[in-house]
Amino acid sequence: MRVLVTGGAGYIGSHTLVELLGQGHEACVVDSYDNGSPIALDRVRGLTNGHLEAHEADIRDTARLTAIATAFAPDAVIHFAGLKAVGESVARPVDYYDVNVTGTLSLMRAMAAAGCGRIIFSSSATVYGEPEYLPYDEAHPLRPTSVYGQTKRMAEQILTDWAAADPAATVMLLRYFNPVGAHASGRIGEDPHDIPNNLMPYLAQVATGQRDRLVIHGDDYDTPDGTGVRDYIHVVDLARAHVAALDRAAGVTGAEVYNIGTGRGTSVREMVAAFSRAVGRALPVTVGPRRPGDIAAMEADCSLARQMLGWQAQYGIDDMARSLWVWQSANPEGYRGAAGESRASQTPSSEIRPKP
Ligand code: NAD
Ligand code: WQD
């Protein structure tokens, strides 16, 4: 299929491109490079043989997005582009609603102009909020506790209403749990532009000496070791879930929603232990107070994705930790440390040619 990928230069988008191109799909990326890098796209090209076009554009620029979509004529869209920091979303609500909600509406207008009615959307487990029961299944009530979570919930609702209005439309809402790790090559990975907020990118910078120590945000939760429990999923497994959703989207209409996790909860201390094994030494850790707004434990019921998409996660936390360390140790400054590399895809609207 011809797939328009918004936000393809980011963490999850770049890994998904590798899987898409590896399966013979063709991709056209639209990314503002606000939090992604054209070097990631160069490296995706180096890992694959597929057809990859890249355009530097903001998804809120409907006219430009329409021109790109009309020229590419996609069979489907995967919509990653968005802002994703929970704390920042509370401080900058207008920007978050604008990019995540207005940006999604802009994309839908461009899709309509291009005659494309299939979309896979990056939603988040954060739409559930405080658990009424665990593991969360897709029918769990949606009560997001942050502006970021609200933007995802609103975008889900808009896309669901759109599918209800158009009998030919297909919407796949994927609720990701906690993506971590990197491609096994270490060529692409997560590249936080600021001090990382999330556990594993922060811990990775502790291992390289860029941060002094990890502060565990509370060890007095009602969990087996007192630290927070999350459902971490290898980013390559998550990327493959998009390919599975795309395959299904080709044969169905309407809106469907899927949890994408492993179904297994892991505590902060267990993740620290796994990453220490990957690095080969103990890492400095202290315990601090709870982080405001944190939930004690989150786990996904992924049985629907297994049944309907034929997808389930293959990798465990040691695979996640090892791949993260391969990426982080080779790229301690992320893509900013790759200044000497070819920047073919940095030219606006450049086309990255298939490998001979
Ligand atoms: P990311 O920041 O690495 O990737 C997002 C990409 O979108 C970046 O390349 C950025 O430059 C681009 N972008 C941002 N605003 C844009 C705009 N206005 N126009 C065009 N491009 C724009 O984030 P990620 O971790 O790869 O997340 C991808 C998607 O998955 C996001 O929608 C995020 O909310 C969602 N998600 C992420 C997680 C997570 O923990 N990483 C969990 C659940 C859901
Ligand atoms: C994991 C655990 C922390 C940092 C967030 C978003 C969610 C989704 C994924 C986008 C918790 C603990 C963390 C640290 C710590 N993103 N921790 N010390 O909060 O589960 O989810 O990212 O959709 O929406 O909310 O992920 O990695 O921040 O935290 O002890 O320095 O690690 O308290 O228990 P979270 P996280």
Side-chain angles (χ1 to χ4, degrees):
M1 269 194 261
R2 295 171 67 77
V3 189
L4 184 77
V5 182
T6 73
Y11 173 43
I12 304 168
S14 56
H15 287 81
T16 302
L17 286 171
V18 170
E19 301 303 317
L20 283 175
L21 299 175
Q23 293 296 311
H25 298 291
E26 296 177 25
C28 171
V29 168
V30 175
D31 199 301
S32 63
Y33 303 133
D34 175 68
N35 198 44
S37 170
I39 296 173
L41 299 176
D42 288 338
R43 291 187 175 186
V44 167
R45 179 184 178 238
L47 292 167
T48 63
N49 274 312
H51 172 95
L52 178 61
E53 262 177 62
H55 301 267
E56 183 173 1
D58 192 303
I59 54 166
R60 292 168 293 178
D61 182 345
T62 312
R64 185 144 154 65
L65 198 56
T66 300
I68 294 167
T70 307
F72 182 68
D75 302 302
V77 170
I78 306 183
H79 180 28
F80 294 106
L83 302 178
K84 64 166 182 175
V86 172
E88 185 183 65
S89 77
V90 179
R92 292 173 49 197
V94 175
D95 290 335
Y96 272 69
Y97 284 113
D98 194 31
V99 174
N100 293 1
V101 181
T102 313
T104 299
L105 289 165
S106 169
L107 175 62
M108 292 164 71
R109 291 197 191 283
M111 288 173 64
C116 178
R118 261 185 217 123
I119 184 167
I120 296 168
F121 176 64
S122 298
S123 191
S124 169
T126 201
V127 295
Y128 292 121
E130 191 68 44
E132 285 190 5
Y133 54 86
L134 286 175
Y136 294 110
D137 57 24
E138 289 82 355
H140 188 284
L142 305 184
R143 296 200 192 92
T145 56
S146 69
V147 169
Y148 169 70
Q150 290 290 1
T151 68
K152 289 292 174 186
R153 187 187 172 182
M154 288 170 80
E156 281 197 2
Q157 187 66 54
I158 290 166
L159 289 164
T160 303
D161 292 343
W162 179 68
D166 179 353
T170 309
V171 170
M172 297 272 157
L173 306 173
L174 303 187
R175 293 181 182 152
Y176 314 156
F177 279 68
N178 287 58
V180 299
H183 189 266
S185 64
R187 296 290 291 160
I188 55 174
E190 187 168 8
D191 179 20
H193 288 190
D194 219 327
I195 299 174
N197 292 309
N198 295 119
L199 175 65
M200 295 310 282
Y202 197 99
L203 195 54
Q205 293 193 1
V206 172
T208 53
Q210 292 156 285
R211 310 270 159 221
D212 287 346
R213 65 177 61 81
L214 176 82
V215 178
I216 295 180
H217 296 321
D219 67 353
D220 58 351
Y221 285 104
D222 184 16
T223 59
D225 67 15
T227 65
V229 168
R230 296 290 183 274
D231 188 331
Y232 296 95
I233 175 165
H234 197 302
V235 68
V236 171
D237 275 329
L238 175 57
R240 290 175 183 161
H242 292 81
V243 180
L246 195 62
D247 289 346
R248 178 165 170 83
V252 298
T253 55
E256 299 184 353
V257 54
Y258 295 104
N259 284 341
I260 306 294
T262 64
R264 286 183 298 278
T266 303
S267 74
V268 176
R269 284 203 188 279
E270 287 171 322
M271 286 307 273
V272 171
F275 196 62
S276 300
R277 283 194 293 279
V279 175
R281 65 191 158 85
L283 296 169
V285 165
T286 55
V287 176
R290 292 183 179 192
R291 185 170 63 179
D294 262 359
I295 285 168
M298 298 176 69
E299 281 159 20
D301 178 341
C302 302
S303 49
L304 195 63
R306 194 168 57 244
Q307 284 162 29
M308 307 304 286
L309 303 180
W311 169 90
Q312 64 182 335
Q314 304 294 320
Y315 296 114
I317 57 167
D318 284 304
D319 304 304
M320 301 176 206
R322 273 193 299 269
S323 64
L324 172 57
W325 184 231
V326 172
W327 155 255
Q328 186 71 26
S329 52
N331 304 272
E333 306 293 336
Y335 297 114
R336 288 173 303 283
E341 279 184 35
S342 135
R343 304 262 182 116
S345 58
Q346 257 185 325
T347 318
S349 300
S350 69
E351 180 165 342
I352 304 171
R353 305 221 171 269
K355 269 171 122 174

